[in-house]
Coordinates of all heavy atoms in Angstrom, one line a residue:
V122 N 50.7 53.2 -63.8 CA 51.0 53.6 -62.4 C 52.5 53.2 -62.0 O 53.2 54.0 -61.5 CB 50.1 53.0 -61.4 CG1 50.5 53.4 -59.9 CG2 48.6 53.5 -61.6
F123 N 52.8 52.0 -62.4 CA 54.1 51.5 -62.0 C 55.3 52.3 -62.7 O 56.3 52.6 -62.0 CB 54.3 50.0 -62.4 CG 55.5 49.3 -61.9 CD1 55.5 49.0 -60.5 CD2 56.6 49.1 -62.6 CE1 56.7 48.4 -60.0 CE2 57.7 48.4 -62.1 CZ 57.7 48.1 -60.8
V124 N 55.1 52.7 -63.9 CA 56.1 53.5 -64.6 C 56.1 55.0 -64.3 O 57.0 55.7 -64.6 CB 56.1 53.3 -66.1 CG1 56.3 51.8 -66.5 CG2 54.8 53.8 -66.7
G125 N 55.0 55.4 -63.6 CA 54.9 56.8 -63.2 C 54.1 57.8 -64.0 O 54.0 59.0 -63.7
N126 N 53.3 57.3 -65.0 CA 52.4 58.2 -65.7 C 51.2 58.5 -65.0 O 50.6 59.6 -65.2 CB 52.0 57.5 -67.1 CG 53.2 57.3 -68.0 OD1 54.1 58.2 -68.1 ND2 53.2 56.2 -68.8
M127 N 50.8 57.6 -64.1 CA 49.5 57.7 -63.4 C 49.8 57.4 -61.9 O 50.9 56.9 -61.5 CB 48.4 56.8 -63.9 CG 48.0 57.1 -65.3 SD 46.7 56.0 -65.9 CE 45.4 56.2 -64.8
S128 N 48.7 57.7 -61.1 CA 48.8 57.3 -59.7 C 47.6 56.3 -59.4 O 46.7 56.2 -60.3 CB 48.6 58.5 -58.8 OG 48.6 58.2 -57.4
V129 N 47.6 55.6 -58.3 CA 46.5 54.7 -58.0 C 45.2 55.6 -57.9 O 44.2 55.2 -58.4 CB 46.8 53.9 -56.8 CG1 45.5 53.1 -56.4 CG2 47.9 52.9 -57.0
V130 N 45.4 56.7 -57.2 CA 44.2 57.6 -56.9 C 44.5 59.0 -57.4 O 45.6 59.5 -57.2 CB 43.9 57.7 -55.4 CG1 42.7 58.6 -55.2 CG2 43.6 56.3 -54.8
G131 N 43.6 59.6 -58.1 CA 43.7 60.9 -58.6 C 42.6 61.2 -59.6 O 41.7 60.4 -59.8
P132 N 42.5 62.4 -60.1 CA 41.5 62.7 -61.1 C 41.6 61.8 -62.3 O 42.7 61.5 -62.8 CB 41.8 64.2 -61.6 CG 42.6 64.7 -60.4 CD 43.4 63.6 -59.9
R133 N 40.5 61.3 -62.9 CA 40.6 60.4 -64.0 C 41.1 61.1 -65.2 O 40.7 62.2 -65.5 CB 39.2 59.8 -64.3 CG 38.7 58.8 -63.3 CD 39.5 57.5 -63.4 NE 39.3 56.9 -64.7 CZ 40.2 56.1 -65.3 NH1 41.4 55.9 -64.7 NH2 40.0 55.5 -66.4
P134 N 42.0 60.4 -66.0 CA 42.5 61.1 -67.2 C 41.5 61.1 -68.3 O 40.8 60.1 -68.6 CB 43.7 60.2 -67.6 CG 43.3 58.8 -67.0 CD 42.5 59.1 -65.8
H135 N 41.4 62.2 -69.0 CA 40.4 62.3 -70.1 C 41.1 62.3 -71.4 O 42.3 62.6 -71.5 CB 39.6 63.7 -70.0 CG 38.7 63.7 -68.8 ND1 38.2 64.9 -68.3 CD2 38.1 62.7 -68.1 CE1 37.4 64.6 -67.3 NE2 37.3 63.3 -67.2
M136 N 40.4 61.9 -72.5 CA 41.0 61.9 -73.8 C 41.3 63.4 -74.2 O 40.7 64.3 -73.7 CB 40.0 61.3 -74.8 CG 38.7 61.9 -75.0 SD 37.7 61.1 -76.3 CE 37.2 59.6 -75.5
L137 N 42.2 63.6 -75.1 CA 42.7 64.9 -75.4 C 41.6 65.9 -75.9 O 41.5 67.0 -75.5 CB 43.8 64.9 -76.5 CG 45.0 64.0 -76.2 CD1 46.1 64.1 -77.2 CD2 45.5 64.2 -74.8
K138 N 40.6 65.3 -76.7 CA 39.6 66.2 -77.2 C 38.7 66.7 -76.1 O 38.3 67.9 -76.0 CB 38.7 65.4 -78.2 CG 37.6 66.3 -78.8 CD 36.7 65.5 -79.8 CE 35.7 66.5 -80.5 NZ 34.9 67.2 -79.5
H139 N 38.4 65.8 -75.1 CA 37.6 66.3 -74.0 C 38.3 67.3 -73.1 O 37.7 68.2 -72.5 CB 37.2 65.0 -73.1 CG 36.1 64.2 -73.8 ND1 35.8 62.9 -73.5 CD2 35.3 64.5 -74.9 CE1 34.9 62.5 -74.3 NE2 34.5 63.4 -75.1
T140 N 39.6 67.1 -72.9 CA 40.4 68.1 -72.2 C 40.2 69.5 -72.8 O 40.0 70.5 -72.2 CB 41.8 67.7 -72.1 OG1 42.0 66.5 -71.4 CG2 42.7 68.8 -71.4
E141 N 40.3 69.5 -74.1 CA 40.2 70.7 -74.9 C 38.8 71.3 -74.8 O 38.6 72.5 -74.6 CB 40.5 70.5 -76.4 CG 40.5 71.7 -77.3 CD 40.9 71.4 -78.7 OE1 41.5 70.3 -79.0 OE2 40.5 72.2 -79.6
D142 N 37.8 70.4 -74.9 CA 36.4 70.9 -74.8 C 36.0 71.4 -73.4 O 35.4 72.5 -73.3 CB 35.4 69.8 -75.3 CG 35.6 69.4 -76.7 OD1 36.1 70.2 -77.5 OD2 35.1 68.3 -77.1
Y143 N 36.3 70.6 -72.4 CA 35.9 70.9 -71.1 C 36.6 72.1 -70.5 O 36.1 72.9 -69.7 CB 36.2 69.7 -70.1 CG 35.4 68.5 -70.5 CD1 35.8 67.2 -70.1 CD2 34.2 68.6 -71.2 CE1 35.1 66.1 -70.4 CE2 33.5 67.4 -71.5 CZ 33.9 66.2 -71.1 OH 33.2 65.1 -71.4
S144 N 37.9 72.4 -70.9 CA 38.6 73.6 -70.5 C 38.0 74.9 -71.0 O 38.2 75.9 -70.4 CB 40.1 73.5 -70.9 OG 40.2 73.5 -72.3
R145 N 37.2 74.8 -72.1 CA 36.5 76.0 -72.5 C 35.2 76.2 -71.7 O 34.8 77.3 -71.7 CB 36.1 75.8 -74.0 CG 37.3 75.7 -75.0 CD 36.8 75.9 -76.4 NE 37.9 75.6 -77.4 CZ 37.9 74.5 -78.1 NH1 37.0 73.6 -78.0 NH2 38.9 74.4 -79.0
I146 N 34.7 75.1 -71.1 CA 33.4 75.3 -70.4 C 33.7 75.8 -69.0 O 33.0 76.7 -68.5 CB 32.7 73.9 -70.3 CG1 32.4 73.4 -71.8 CG2 31.5 74.0 -69.5 CD1 31.8 72.0 -71.8
L147 N 34.7 75.2 -68.3 CA 35.0 75.6 -66.9 C 36.4 76.1 -66.8 O 37.4 75.4 -67.2 CB 34.8 74.4 -66.0 CG 33.4 74.0 -65.7 CD1 33.4 72.8 -64.8 CD2 32.6 75.1 -65.1
N148 N 36.6 77.3 -66.2 CA 37.9 77.9 -66.0 C 38.8 77.0 -65.1 O 40.0 76.9 -65.2 CB 37.9 79.3 -65.5 CG 37.3 80.3 -66.5 OD1 37.5 80.1 -67.7 ND2 36.7 81.3 -66.0
E149 N 38.1 76.4 -64.1 CA 38.8 75.6 -63.1 C 39.2 74.2 -63.6 O 39.9 73.5 -62.9 CB 37.9 75.4 -61.9 CG 37.4 76.7 -61.2 CD 36.1 77.2 -61.8 OE1 35.7 76.7 -62.8 OE2 35.5 78.1 -61.2
Y150 N 38.8 73.8 -64.8 CA 39.0 72.5 -65.2 C 40.5 72.1 -65.2 O 40.9 71.0 -64.8 CB 38.5 72.3 -66.7 CG 38.7 70.9 -67.2 CD1 37.9 69.9 -66.9 CD2 39.8 70.7 -68.1 CE1 38.2 68.6 -67.4 CE2 40.1 69.5 -68.6 CZ 39.2 68.4 -68.2 OH 39.5 67.1 -68.7
M151 N 41.4 73.0 -65.7 CA 42.8 72.6 -65.8 C 43.5 72.4 -64.5 O 44.6 71.9 -64.4 CB 43.5 73.6 -66.7 CG 43.0 73.7 -68.2 SD 43.0 72.1 -69.0 CE 44.8 71.8 -69.2
I152 N 42.9 72.9 -63.4 CA 43.5 72.7 -62.1 C 43.8 71.3 -61.8 O 44.8 70.9 -61.1 CB 42.6 73.4 -61.0 CG1 42.5 74.9 -61.2 CG2 43.2 73.0 -59.6 CD1 41.5 75.5 -60.2
R153 N 42.9 70.4 -62.2 CA 43.0 69.0 -61.9 C 44.3 68.4 -62.5 O 44.7 67.3 -62.1 CB 41.8 68.2 -62.5 CG 41.7 68.1 -64.0 CD 40.3 67.8 -64.5 NE 39.8 66.6 -64.0 CZ 40.0 65.4 -64.6 NH1 40.8 65.4 -65.7 NH2 39.4 64.3 -64.2
H154 N 45.0 69.0 -63.4 CA 46.2 68.5 -64.0 C 47.5 68.9 -63.3 O 48.6 68.6 -63.7 CB 46.3 69.0 -65.5 CG 45.2 68.6 -66.4 ND1 44.1 69.3 -66.6 CD2 45.1 67.4 -67.1 CE1 43.3 68.6 -67.4 NE2 43.9 67.5 -67.7
F155 N 47.3 69.5 -62.1 CA 48.5 69.8 -61.2 C 48.9 68.5 -60.5 O 50.0 68.5 -59.9 CB 48.1 70.8 -60.2 CG 48.0 72.2 -60.8 CD1 47.2 73.2 -60.1 CD2 48.6 72.6 -61.9 CE1 47.1 74.4 -60.7 CE2 48.5 73.8 -62.5 CZ 47.7 74.8 -61.9
V156 N 48.1 67.4 -60.6 CA 48.6 66.1 -60.0 C 48.4 65.1 -61.0 O 47.8 65.2 -62.1 CB 47.7 65.8 -58.7 CG1 47.9 66.8 -57.6 CG2 46.2 65.7 -59.1
K157 N 49.0 63.9 -60.8 CA 48.9 62.8 -61.7 C 47.5 62.3 -61.7 O 46.8 62.2 -60.7 CB 49.8 61.6 -61.3 CG 51.3 61.9 -61.5 CD 52.1 60.7 -61.0 CE 53.6 61.0 -61.2 NZ 54.4 59.8 -60.7
P158 N 47.0 61.8 -62.9 CA 45.7 61.2 -63.0 C 45.7 59.9 -62.3 O 46.8 59.3 -62.1 CB 45.5 61.1 -64.5 CG 46.8 61.0 -65.1 CD 47.7 61.9 -64.2
G159 N 44.5 59.4 -61.9 CA 44.4 58.1 -61.2 C 43.6 57.1 -61.8 O 42.8 57.3 -62.7
V160 N 43.8 55.8 -61.4 CA 43.0 54.7 -61.9 C 41.6 54.9 -61.3 O 40.6 54.5 -62.0 CB 43.6 53.3 -61.4 CG1 42.8 52.2 -61.8 CG2 45.0 53.2 -62.0
T161 N 41.5 55.4 -60.1 CA 40.2 55.7 -59.5 C 40.4 57.1 -58.8 O 41.5 57.6 -58.7 CB 39.8 54.6 -58.5 OG1 38.5 55.0 -58.0 CG2 40.8 54.6 -57.3
G162 N 39.3 57.6 -58.4 CA 39.4 59.0 -57.8 C 38.2 59.3 -56.9 O 37.2 58.5 -56.8
W163 N 38.3 60.4 -56.2 CA 37.3 60.9 -55.3 C 35.9 61.1 -56.0 O 34.9 60.8 -55.5 CB 37.7 62.1 -54.5 CG 36.8 62.7 -53.5 CD1 36.3 63.9 -53.4 CD2 36.4 62.0 -52.3 NE1 35.5 64.1 -52.3 CE2 35.6 62.9 -51.6 CE3 36.6 60.7 -51.8 CZ2 34.9 62.6 -50.4 CZ3 36.0 60.4 -50.5 CH2 35.2 61.3 -49.9
A164 N 36.0 61.7 -57.2 CA 34.8 61.9 -57.9 C 34.1 60.6 -58.3 O 32.9 60.5 -58.2 CB 35.1 62.7 -59.2
Q165 N 34.9 59.6 -58.7 CA 34.3 58.3 -59.1 C 33.6 57.6 -58.0 O 32.5 57.1 -58.2 CB 35.4 57.4 -59.7 CG 35.8 57.7 -61.1 CD 36.4 59.2 -61.3 OE1 37.2 59.6 -60.4 NE2 36.0 59.8 -62.3
V166 N 34.1 57.6 -56.8 CA 33.5 56.9 -55.7 C 32.3 57.7 -55.1 O 31.6 57.1 -54.3 CB 34.5 56.5 -54.6 CG1 35.6 55.6 -55.1 CG2 35.1 57.8 -53.9
N167 N 32.1 58.9 -55.6 CA 31.0 59.7 -55.1 C 29.9 59.8 -56.2 O 29.0 60.6 -56.2 CB 31.4 61.1 -54.7 CG 32.0 61.1 -53.3 OD1 31.3 61.2 -52.3 ND2 33.3 61.1 -53.2
G168 N 30.0 58.9 -57.2 CA 29.0 58.8 -58.2 C 29.2 59.7 -59.5 O 28.3 59.7 -60.3
F169 N 30.3 60.4 -59.6 CA 30.5 61.3 -60.7 C 31.5 60.6 -61.7 O 32.7 61.0 -61.8 CB 31.0 62.7 -60.3 CG 30.0 63.3 -59.3 CD1 30.3 63.5 -58.0 CD2 28.8 63.8 -59.8 CE1 29.4 64.0 -57.1 CE2 27.8 64.4 -59.0 CZ 28.1 64.5 -57.6
R170 N 31.0 59.7 -62.4 CA 31.8 59.0 -63.4 C 31.0 58.7 -64.7 O 29.8 59.0 -64.7 CB 32.4 57.6 -62.9 CG 31.3 56.6 -62.5 CD 31.8 55.3 -62.2 NE 32.4 54.6 -63.4 CZ 32.9 53.4 -63.4 NH1 33.0 52.7 -62.3 NH2 33.4 52.9 -64.5
G171 N 31.6 58.3 -65.7 CA 30.8 58.0 -66.9 C 30.6 59.1 -67.8 O 31.3 60.2 -67.8
E172 N 29.5 59.1 -68.6 CA 29.2 60.0 -69.6 C 28.9 61.4 -69.0 O 28.1 61.5 -68.0 CB 28.1 59.5 -70.5 CG 27.7 60.4 -71.6 CD 26.5 59.9 -72.4 OE1 25.8 59.0 -71.9 OE2 26.2 60.5 -73.5
I173 N 29.4 62.5 -69.6 CA 29.0 63.8 -69.2 C 28.1 64.4 -70.2 O 28.4 64.6 -71.4 CB 30.3 64.7 -69.0 CG1 31.1 64.2 -67.9 CG2 29.9 66.2 -68.8 CD1 32.4 65.0 -67.7
K174 N 26.8 64.7 -69.8 CA 25.8 65.2 -70.7 C 25.5 66.7 -70.5 O 25.1 67.4 -71.4 CB 24.5 64.4 -70.5 CG 24.6 62.9 -70.8 CD 23.3 62.2 -70.5 CE 23.4 60.8 -70.8 NZ 22.1 60.1 -70.5
K175 N 25.8 67.2 -69.3 CA 25.5 68.6 -69.0 C 26.6 69.2 -68.1 O 27.4 68.5 -67.5 CB 24.2 68.8 -68.4 CG 23.8 67.9 -67.3 CD 22.4 68.0 -66.9 CE 22.0 67.0 -65.7 NZ 20.6 67.1 -65.3
E176 N 26.7 70.5 -68.1 CA 27.7 71.3 -67.4 C 27.7 70.9 -65.9 O 28.8 70.9 -65.3 CB 27.5 72.8 -67.6 CG 28.7 73.6 -66.9 CD 28.5 75.1 -67.2 OE1 28.0 75.4 -68.3 OE2 28.9 75.9 -66.3
E177 N 26.6 70.7 -65.3 CA 26.5 70.4 -63.9 C 27.3 69.2 -63.5 O 28.0 69.1 -62.5 CB 25.1 70.3 -63.4 CG 24.9 70.1 -61.9 CD 23.5 69.8 -61.5 OE1 22.6 69.8 -62.4 OE2 23.2 69.7 -60.3
Q178 N 27.2 68.1 -64.4 CA 27.9 66.9 -64.1 C 29.4 67.1 -64.2 O 30.2 66.6 -63.4 CB 27.5 65.9 -65.2 CG 26.1 65.4 -65.1 CD 25.7 64.5 -66.2 OE1 25.9 64.8 -67.4 NE2 25.2 63.3 -65.9
L179 N 29.9 67.9 -65.1 CA 31.3 68.3 -65.2 C 31.7 69.1 -64.0 O 32.8 68.8 -63.5 CB 31.5 69.1 -66.5 CG 33.0 69.6 -66.7 CD1 33.9 68.4 -66.8 CD2 33.0 70.4 -68.0
R180 N 30.9 70.0 -63.6 CA 31.3 70.9 -62.5 C 31.4 70.1 -61.2 O 32.4 70.2 -60.4 CB 30.3 72.0 -62.3 CG 30.6 73.0 -61.2 CD 29.6 74.2 -61.2 NE 29.6 74.9 -62.4 CZ 30.5 75.9 -62.7 NH1 31.4 76.2 -61.8 NH2 30.4 76.5 -63.8
N181 N 30.5 69.1 -61.0 CA 30.5 68.3 -59.8 C 31.8 67.4 -59.8 O 32.5 67.3 -58.7 CB 29.3 67.4 -59.7 CG 28.1 68.1 -59.3 OD1 28.1 69.0 -58.5 ND2 26.9 67.7 -59.8
R182 N 32.2 66.9 -60.9 CA 33.4 66.1 -61.1 C 34.6 66.9 -60.7 O 35.5 66.5 -60.0 CB 33.5 65.5 -62.5 CG 34.7 64.5 -62.6 CD 34.7 63.9 -64.0 NE 33.5 63.1 -64.2 CZ 33.4 62.3 -65.3 NH1 34.3 62.2 -66.2 NH2 32.3 61.5 -65.4
I183 N 34.7 68.1 -61.3 CA 35.9 69.0 -61.1 C 36.0 69.4 -59.6 O 37.1 69.5 -59.1 CB 35.9 70.2 -62.0 CG1 35.8 69.7 -63.5 CG2 37.1 71.1 -61.8 CD1 36.8 68.7 -63.9
E184 N 34.8 69.7 -59.0 CA 34.8 70.1 -57.6 C 35.4 69.0 -56.7 O 36.1 69.3 -55.8 CB 33.4 70.5 -57.2 CG 33.0 71.9 -57.7 CD 31.5 72.3 -57.3 OE1 30.9 71.4 -56.7 OE2 31.1 73.4 -57.6
H185 N 35.0 67.8 -57.0 CA 35.5 66.7 -56.2 C 37.0 66.4 -56.5 O 37.7 66.1 -55.6 CB 34.7 65.4 -56.6 CG 33.4 65.3 -55.8 ND1 32.3 66.1 -56.2 CD2 33.0 64.6 -54.8 CE1 31.3 65.8 -55.4 NE2 31.7 64.9 -54.5
D186 N 37.4 66.6 -57.7 CA 38.8 66.4 -58.1 C 39.7 67.5 -57.3 O 40.7 67.2 -56.7 CB 39.1 66.6 -59.6 CG 38.6 65.4 -60.4 OD1 38.4 64.3 -59.8 OD2 38.4 65.5 -61.6
I187 N 39.2 68.7 -57.3 CA 40.0 69.8 -56.6 C 39.9 69.6 -55.1 O 40.9 69.8 -54.4 CB 39.4 71.2 -57.0 CG1 39.6 71.4 -58.5 CG2 40.0 72.3 -56.1 CD1 39.0 72.7 -59.0
W188 N 38.8 69.1 -54.6 CA 38.7 68.8 -53.1 C 39.7 67.8 -52.7 O 40.4 67.9 -51.7 CB 37.3 68.3 -52.7 CG 37.1 68.1 -51.3 CD1 36.7 69.0 -50.3 CD2 37.5 66.9 -50.5 NE1 36.7 68.4 -49.1 CE2 37.2 67.1 -49.2 CE3 38.0 65.6 -50.9 CZ2 37.4 66.2 -48.2 CZ3 38.1 64.7 -49.9 CH2 37.9 64.9 -48.6
Y189 N 39.9 66.8 -53.6 CA 40.9 65.7 -53.3 C 42.3 66.3 -53.3 O 43.1 66.0 -52.4 CB 40.8 64.6 -54.4 CG 41.9 63.7 -54.4 CD1 42.0 62.6 -53.5 CD2 43.0 63.8 -55.3 CE1 43.1 61.7 -53.4 CE2 44.1 62.9 -55.3 CZ 44.1 61.9 -54.3 OH 45.2 61.0 -54.3
M190 N 42.6 67.1 -54.2 CA 43.9 67.8 -54.3 C 44.2 68.6 -53.0 O 45.3 68.6 -52.5 CB 44.1 68.6 -55.5 CG 44.0 67.9 -56.8 SD 43.8 69.0 -58.3 CE 45.2 70.0 -58.1
E191 N 43.2 69.3 -52.5 CA 43.4 70.1 -51.3 C 43.3 69.4 -50.0 O 43.7 69.9 -49.0 CB 42.3 71.2 -51.4 CG 42.4 72.2 -52.5 CD 41.3 73.2 -52.6 OE1 40.3 73.0 -51.8 OE2 41.4 74.2 -53.3
N192 N 42.9 68.1 -50.0 CA 42.7 67.4 -48.8 C 43.4 66.0 -48.8 O 43.1 65.1 -48.0 CB 41.2 67.1 -48.5 CG 40.5 68.4 -48.2 OD1 40.4 68.9 -47.1 ND2 39.9 69.0 -49.3
W193 N 44.4 65.9 -49.7 CA 45.1 64.6 -49.9 C 45.7 64.1 -48.6 O 46.3 64.9 -47.8 CB 46.2 64.7 -51.0 CG 46.9 63.4 -51.1 CD1 46.6 62.3 -51.8 CD2 48.1 63.0 -50.4 NE1 47.4 61.3 -51.6 CE2 48.4 61.7 -50.7 CE3 48.9 63.7 -49.4 CZ2 49.5 61.0 -50.2 CZ3 50.0 63.0 -48.9 CH2 50.3 61.7 -49.3
S194 N 45.7 62.8 -48.4 CA 46.4 62.1 -47.4 C 46.5 60.7 -47.8 O 45.7 60.2 -48.6 CB 45.8 62.2 -46.0 OG 44.6 61.5 -45.9
L195 N 47.5 60.0 -47.3 CA 47.6 58.6 -47.6 C 46.4 57.8 -47.2 O 45.9 56.8 -47.8 CB 48.9 58.0 -46.9 CG 49.4 56.7 -47.5 CD1 49.7 56.9 -49.0 CD2 50.7 56.3 -46.8
W196 N 45.8 58.2 -46.0 CA 44.6 57.5 -45.5 C 43.4 57.8 -46.5 O 42.6 56.9 -46.7 CB 44.3 58.0 -44.1 CG 45.2 57.5 -43.1 CD1 46.1 58.3 -42.4 CD2 45.5 56.1 -42.7 NE1 46.9 57.4 -41.6 CE2 46.5 56.1 -41.8 CE3 44.9 54.9 -43.1 CZ2 47.0 55.0 -41.2 CZ3 45.4 53.8 -42.5 CH2 46.4 53.8 -41.6
L197 N 43.4 59.0 -47.1 CA 42.3 59.3 -48.0 C 42.4 58.4 -49.3 O 41.4 57.8 -49.8 CB 42.3 60.7 -48.4 CG 41.3 61.2 -49.5 CD1 39.9 60.9 -49.0 CD2 41.5 62.6 -49.8
D198 N 43.7 58.2 -49.7 CA 43.9 57.3 -50.9 C 43.4 55.8 -50.5 O 42.8 55.2 -51.4 CB 45.4 57.2 -51.2 CG 45.8 58.4 -52.2 OD1 44.9 59.2 -52.4 OD2 46.9 58.4 -52.7
L199 N 43.8 55.4 -49.3 CA 43.3 54.0 -48.9 C 41.8 53.9 -48.8 O 41.2 52.9 -49.2 CB 44.0 53.7 -47.6 CG 45.5 53.4 -47.6 CD1 46.0 53.3 -46.2 CD2 45.8 52.1 -48.4
R200 N 41.2 55.0 -48.3 CA 39.7 55.0 -48.2 C 39.1 55.0 -49.6 O 38.1 54.2 -49.8 CB 39.3 56.3 -47.5 CG 37.8 56.5 -47.4 CD 37.5 57.8 -46.8 NE 36.0 58.1 -46.8 CZ 35.4 59.2 -46.5 NH1 36.2 60.3 -46.2 NH2 34.1 59.4 -46.6
I201 N 39.7 55.7 -50.6 CA 39.1 55.7 -51.9 C 39.3 54.3 -52.6 O 38.4 53.9 -53.3 CB 39.8 56.8 -52.8 CG1 39.4 58.2 -52.2 CG2 39.4 56.7 -54.2 CD1 40.1 59.4 -52.8

Side-chain angles (χ1 to χ4, degrees):
V122 174
F123 191 75
V124 300
N126 294 324
M127 293 178 64
S128 181
V129 173
V130 180
R133 286 291 297 151
H135 290 159
M136 65 177 72
L137 304 188
K138 184 181 185 303
H139 286 162
T140 297
E141 183 179 342
D142 293 342
Y143 297 156
S144 63
R145 294 195 189 105
I146 298 173
L147 289 179
N148 290 330
E149 299 89 348
Y150 178 81
M151 296 305 292
I152 294 174
R153 71 200 299 275
H154 296 94
F155 289 155
V156 297
K157 290 181 182 179
V160 178
T161 185
W163 184 238
Q165 279 62 43
V166 297
N167 280 280
F169 301 108
R170 61 172 291 180
E172 185 183 8
I173 294 177
K174 298 179 181 178
K175 49 189 177 181
E176 183 177 326
E177 183 183 2
Q178 292 173 309
L179 176 61
R180 187 175 296 278
N181 284 330
R182 184 177 297 188
I183 302 310
E184 286 178 354
H185 279 75
D186 287 339
I187 294 176
W188 183 91
Y189 168 77
M190 294 168 58
E191 295 177 347
N192 295 273
W193 177 87
S194 70
L195 200 55
W196 290 113
L197 178 60
D198 274 6
L199 290 170
R200 179 186 174 191
I201 292 172

